[in-house]
Amino acid sequence: MSSLLLTGIGSLVTNDPARGALPGGAAADGTAALGEVRDAAVVIEGSRFAWVGSRRDAPAADASLDLGGCAVIPGFVDSHSHLVFAGDRAEEFAARMAGTPYSAGGIRTTVAATRAASDEQLTANVARLVTEMRRQGTTTVEIKSGYGLTAFDEARALAIASDFTEETTYLGAHVVPPEFADDPAGYVSLVTGAMLEGAAKHAKWVDVFVEKGAFDADQARAILTAGAAKGLGLRVHANQLGQGPGVQLACELGAAAADHCTHLSDADVDALASSGVVAGLLPAVEFSTRSPYPDARRLRSAGVTIALASDCNPGSCYSSSMPLCIALAVREMHLTPAEALWSATAGGATSLRRPDLAQITPGTQADLAVLDAPTYLHLAYRPGVPLVTQTYVKGRPV
């Protein structure tokens, strides 16, 4: 197995609490550290990190690359996206910017376009977006279904997604499609029955959009329970458009994550903190919909683990940029740059229950991003600038 020494790293963020130096996020063991190493080096063997430390102590390797003082960070872990779709909703975005409030109804427009698209068209679109993500430092992405809403289309969406990621999520419960408008109970039966049977073989997770106009608590509980019985992990779209039962349901059922968390009661915050359910915050959605931003400081103060994710989709947020999410989280949600970076890397890994990701430490998966900057602080300091110059996934440049 060949080895590669990356040297000349001006600032290395490891997310390793044992190297704690700068405040990051609430790690699983309660520590808070980015574990920054200055003038650092890293050795990669195969798909894993083999050695991490100071440049002056670096061992020999089969090959070496001097990064010339660039900063290196763990690859971004985007724990919430919807990439299997066709068409776009640019006109809907323009209408929102002119004052039309956001609602979940536009999803049905994408459903119609996605059902009409070929497998080849859908695959090409996912490939385009994943490539776009890689160029911006994202090394792991979760991809949901949810724009097919038939047993056939949900299964094919997940089969396509599984060609690009291990983190696939069955979201048959995105909205009730038009053909079931007068029979939502019948649609829930489909989602928990034949649709689930076909989707489960391609999915790791099950998700539900718990919201007025989508699914209520009883419907969501039935769907999540059915998914769990098939061995799927639980995720929940929760409390995006208003206060509701989503967060409490996620905590009750032991979901890995409750995503959005825009409108939270004190009881919701307490439940997230006590249950360990990750709060997935998606600030580019608020940017794109002109909605209120979640109160990240309130969550941090309560000890809630936060993940930042893109929610890349054609409606409420057509952005794949995790650096944008970091900048928005710092500027609009009042996270520190260190907290935002931790949440976009280790927070996402925690949301996906992947302890092998988002730490640059011996034995973990060798995913990283090289920045054309002396420190990670530039991710928020220089918003909109393409700072990522190289991305490594499983030890290989992409």
Side-chain angles (χ1 to χ4, degrees), residues 213-306:
F215 297 88
D216 65 24
D218 290 339
Q219 293 168 328
R221 183 179 287 104
I223 293 163
L224 293 168
T225 301
K230 284 290 186 180
L232 303 181
L234 308 185
R235 316 186 71 76
V236 181
H237 279 61
N239 299 53
Q240 177 186 2
L241 304 180
Q243 287 195 3
V247 163
Q248 293 291 334
L249 183 63
C251 297
E252 171 196 330
L253 297 180
D259 290 349
H260 287 290
C261 293
T262 309
H263 302 275
L264 299 178
S265 67
D266 289 343
D268 292 332
V269 175
D270 290 343
L272 288 166
S274 61
S275 67
V277 173
V278 174
L281 305 186
L282 317 171
V285 173
E286 282 73 41
F287 178 83
S288 182
T289 60
R290 283 187 173 157
S291 301
Y293 286 90
D295 189 344
R297 285 256 59 88
R298 178 187 184 196
L299 291 166
R300 284 276 301 151
S301 297
V304 176
T305 299
I306 293 172

Side-chain angles (χ1 to χ4, degrees), residues 6 19 29 33 37 42 58 84 86 97 107 129 168 174 197 209 221 257 261 265 277 306 308 334 363 396:
L6 298 178
R19 299 178 185 272
D29 61 359
V37 180
V42 169
V84 188
M97 296 304 101
I107 293 169
L129 290 168
T168 53
H174 204 179
E197 288 292 331
F209 188 16
R221 183 179 287 104
C261 293
S265 67
V277 173
I306 293 172
L308 290 178
H334 308 293
R396 297 175 62 88

Side-chain angles (χ1 to χ4, degrees), residues 69-88:
C70 288
V72 170
I73 61 173
F76 299 124
V77 179
D78 189 344
S79 56
H80 186 128
S81 81
H82 307 250
L83 303 188
V84 188
F85 65 86
D88 70 30

